[in-house]
Amino acid sequence: MDSAFIAEAADAYRAALKAGRRLVAERNAEGRSGLLPVLEPLLAGSGGEIPLGLFEIPLQKIRGTFAAGRSHALSAGFLPLLEEKSEFAAKWQALCASALEKGITQPIKVYEYIGHYYVLEGHKRVSVANALSNYSLHADVTRLIPLPGVETPDIAVYNELLGNDRKKVIKHMWFSSPGRYPELLGMAGGDQELLEDSFAAFRAAYHKQGYHQDLHEITTGDAFWQYAKIYGLPDGAHEKELQKTLTRCRPQWELLANPEPVQTVTTPSAARVKPFIHFQRGSLPSVTFSISTHSPFSAEAHQAGCFLLKRAFPELSVTTVEGLPDETKGDVLFVTDPAYTGQALRAALEHKHSLVYLCHDEPVGVTGTYTAEPKEAAFLLGVLAGSLSASARVGWLRPAYCHGGRGHDVQAFAQGAIASRPAARVYTAGVEDREAFRRWAERGVDMVVMPRMPLGTRPSVKAFPGVYAALCSLSQNGAVVEKLAAASLHWEAFYIRLIKGIIEGVSPPDHIHYRMGLDSGVLGLHLTSHASGAKQCLDAFRHALTSGLIAPVDEKSPVEVYET
């Protein structure tokens, strides 16, 4: 054998040995083990074995060893730990010299368990391949099936990737959380081959820019999932455009990899503000509203807020668009439907001098987000229902849609009913259940909360903009008798205050989440004259809620709700 290969192999061992010992010392200092992970002691058992055959596996997916025999000789990452004069070192260097001359030709033998590989035979081959920066090795693979009934996030991801094919080879795609692969498969129309090809194009570009090393807290699959939600599934035919959009997407991946604490406030004026450098104090920004084409109710509520914003600032440039076309621009962009989350993130990434706010239940990344928190209104509707009911039997009809924020909370309603009427009994059913009112009436229910207003009894939008639910009395045969109260959204309270702050020279932080209830002015609860006798009781509970004396939902003391 060429002496140059022998000398290079000796140098490679010394470098790998130094790196391995340093890694062990660093991890020990952190209170962690730096030795090679061992699978066997972690297995409570197996649901069986499936031979998968011989194929190429990436080194980065080889996590450790199956049995403890080699764990003392190798650190995590398969770096050597034994002295240069040891028998192990001599064999390692001989193998390395051979690999330098003609490559590693003999396959290793591994177990695959939940998407990762654990070595049975060939530990030194893996160690040498890592030292030489090889990408993969041929391996004879046997799958270990997890025990039935054991549920972890990794097992959930594993089962999603396998589907019904227990012999399917899991290649490079992996995720930190379940649910992401099915979502991607849906984007591909169920075409697994299309999805795999798209991921391969993405992965090549992602690795080319080194993001897999810079953002090691997330998997390449996680980054692919996030990218596809913003830009759609990529292909290999437009590599330059893909590289450009990868660069744009990095801030969103950084938040996914290292989530920053998001300031959550309950009123626009409560946010810590900063100078808004893109406008001179007193100048008017251009404002664009993206209105949903999917939810007529949501569109109506936000359009009412947009109309009142225009009336508050007659000189303000306000544009309304349906959906969110790629060319949509504006100094301030309000995206009013969570269905446009991906497009909103894209707008925020591509228009860095714009403020983008998405109506969404939770923070989603580089955009600001805002939502109504209807639990307080639901609690007060429960208070009213309990205090006005003659039978102490009340019903809650669950809506099929979300009202520009979180959906109705039946538990908040039930706890409100119990607060004012300890003997109250609460029933619930879906809005699609046409017979619910009749069944409830037979059980004595005489108060119900239902989405929107009954046909012909809804108050005008001018008086009650954004009405989303009503408390009504119910007759003995299940017919709606009269409306008693209405819960409504007043988005103008948010829009006007935010724009006013910008005009005055300040704006909220980039990543902020508004979760607005009764004290923000965004959420309203209105009584009709028929319920005026309960006003004093309602005001007392409203004050207790807004002052923090009580919570709309006590998680420790749930109220039983009867499904009918």
Side-chain angles (χ1 to χ4, degrees):
M1 182 177 291
D2 193 321
S3 60
F5 291 139
I6 296 173
E8 189 174 346
D11 289 342
Y13 190 84
R14 280 191 292 271
L17 176 62
K18 183 178 179 180
R21 289 179 172 177
R22 182 172 62 248
L23 184 147
V24 170
E26 288 173 353
R27 293 201 178 181
N28 286 345
E30 297 170 356
R32 299 186 296 152
S33 172
L35 297 179
L36 193 64
V38 181
L39 176 63
E40 192 173 31
L42 304 178
L43 284 174
S46 168
E49 298 183 5
I50 298 178
L52 299 183
L54 188 67
F55 56 88
E56 200 170 5
I57 63 173
L59 291 175
Q60 65 178 15
K61 296 200 76 173
I62 301 177
R63 181 165 284 183
T65 179
F66 177 73
R70 288 294 188 187
S71 61
H72 68 286
L74 295 164
S75 75
F78 285 84
L79 295 166
L81 295 175
L82 301 183
E83 295 288 348
E84 289 182 64
K85 295 182 179 180
S86 65
E87 181 183 359
F88 176 89
K91 291 181 178 179
W92 192 101
Q93 291 176 60
L95 177 61
C96 183
S98 175
L100 287 168
E101 183 177 16
K102 57 185 179 182
I104 299 175
T105 57
Q106 185 179 359
I108 62 174
K109 190 171 183 179
V110 299
Y111 274 126
E112 185 245 56
Y113 183 66
I114 315 180
H116 290 88
Y117 301 103
Y118 297 85
V119 179
L120 280 168
E121 297 176 8
H123 297 79
K124 286 191 290 293
R125 275 167 274 167
V126 176
S127 182
V128 167
N130 272 313
L132 299 181
S133 299
N134 288 2
Y135 173 72
S136 60
L137 284 173
H138 280 88
D140 184 8
V141 183
T142 299
R143 171 166 288 154
L144 287 176
I145 303 297
L147 280 173
V150 177
E151 291 296 334
T152 67
D154 273 354
I155 291 177
V157 171
Y158 169 79
N159 286 330
E160 287 176 354
L161 289 167
L162 288 184
N164 295 322
D165 184 0
R166 295 286 100 181
K167 289 191 174 183
K168 179 182 177 182
V169 174
I170 298 175
K171 297 179 181 177
H172 302 290
M173 205 182 302
W174 191 261
F175 304 92
S176 301
S177 301
R180 294 175 179 178
Y181 179 73
E183 192 172 353
L184 284 164
L185 194 57
M187 293 182 197
D191 189 333
Q192 292 190 16
E193 185 176 350
L194 171 63
L195 183 60
E196 290 285 354
D197 290 345
S198 180
F199 177 71
F202 174 86
R203 184 177 179 279
Y206 188 79
H207 281 231
K208 185 176 181 179
Q209 294 198 20
Y211 291 138
H212 64 301
Q213 296 173 330
D214 297 344
L215 302 169
H216 57 84
E217 298 89 350
I218 61 174
T219 70
T220 303
D222 294 332
F224 176 58
W225 164 78
Q226 184 71 88
Y227 178 92
K229 286 165 68 72
I230 298 172
Y231 287 102
L233 294 175
D235 60 53
H238 304 89
E239 184 179 352
K240 288 185 178 180
E241 182 63 25
L242 177 56
Q243 294 287 354
K244 186 188 300 183
T245 51
L246 288 181
T247 303
R248 290 175 182 164
C249 205
R250 176 162 185 158
Q252 181 68 16
W253 290 329
E254 288 175 343
L255 288 175
L256 187 65
N258 300 291
E260 298 176 359
V262 177
Q263 184 186 357
T264 299
V265 295
T266 56
T267 63
S269 57
R272 296 191 301 272
V273 295
K274 64 179 183 180
F276 192 24
I277 61 173
H278 307 300
F279 299 105
Q280 293 182 349
R281 186 181 180 88
S283 63
L284 295 175
S286 61
V287 180
T288 300
F289 282 84
S290 163
I291 300 297
S292 171
T293 56
H294 303 97
S295 172
F297 169 77
S298 175
E300 178 188 284
H302 289 286
Q303 282 174 330
C306 176
F307 172 78
L308 293 171
L309 173 66
K310 291 180 183 179
R311 188 155 64 176
F313 300 101
E315 302 301 318
L316 189 68
S317 170
V318 180
T319 303
T320 302
V321 297
E322 290 189 4
L324 191 55
D326 290 344
E327 65 275 11
T328 304
K329 294 181 180 179
D331 296 321
V332 184
L333 173 60
F334 293 111
V335 183
T336 63
D337 193 325
Y340 301 130
T341 296
Q343 295 96 316
L345 289 169
R346 180 171 180 171
L349 292 167
E350 295 185 354
H351 306 302
K352 296 185 181 299
H353 295 309
S354 297
L355 289 175
V356 180
Y357 295 95
L358 170 68
C359 191
H360 200 286
D361 286 0
E362 302 293 342
V364 296
V366 294
T367 69
T369 46
Y370 63 104
T371 185
E373 177 57 277
K375 286 182 180 178
E376 292 175 347
F379 181 89
L380 293 182
L381 287 171
V383 168
L384 280 172
S387 61
L388 294 172
S389 173
S391 64
R393 299 291 186 268
V394 298
W396 177 278
L397 201 62
R398 297 188 306 274
Y401 50 78
C402 196
H403 315 297
R406 297 179 68 86
H408 280 310
D409 193 312
V410 65
Q411 188 57 220
F413 170 75
Q415 293 193 20
I418 293 296
S420 64
R421 191 73 169 274
R425 189 180 180 96
V426 181
Y427 296 89
T428 186
V431 70
E432 70 284 349
D433 187 347
R434 303 284 184 180
E435 297 296 314
F437 284 4
R438 181 188 57 77
R439 294 197 310 274
W440 287 353
E442 291 174 354
R443 291 170 170 79
V445 172
D446 60 358
M447 295 287 158
V448 297
V449 170
M450 57 197 306
R452 301 291 298 259
M453 280 291 186
L455 185 63
T457 64
R458 184 179 171 211
S460 68
V461 171
K462 182 177 180 181
F464 293 89
V467 168
Y468 66 83
L471 173 67
C472 301
S473 58
L474 203 64
S475 71
Q476 292 182 353
N477 61 4
V480 173
V481 178
E482 57 187 357
K483 61 183 182 293
L484 303 169
S488 59
L489 291 167
H490 302 262
W491 288 117
E492 68 279 0
F494 171 67
Y495 296 138
I496 290 172
R497 282 194 228 177
L498 193 70
I499 297 302
K500 184 175 184 292
I502 291 172
I503 293 171
E504 292 175 350
V506 294
S507 71
D510 293 331
H511 310 305
I512 188 168
H513 182 57
Y514 294 100
R515 185 178 291 282
M516 296 171 289
L518 290 169
D519 60 345
S520 69
V522 169
L523 200 64
L525 189 64
H526 314 277
L527 296 183
T528 68
S529 58
H530 303 287
S532 58
K535 185 176 185 305
Q536 188 173 2
C537 173
L538 185 70
D539 288 346
F541 277 102
R542 186 197 296 264
H543 173 73
L545 281 174
T546 56
S547 61
L549 296 175
I550 60 174
V553 176
D554 182 353
E555 302 289 353
K556 296 180 180 178
S557 302
V559 172
E560 186 171 5
V561 177
Y562 298 89
E563 183 80 29
T564 61

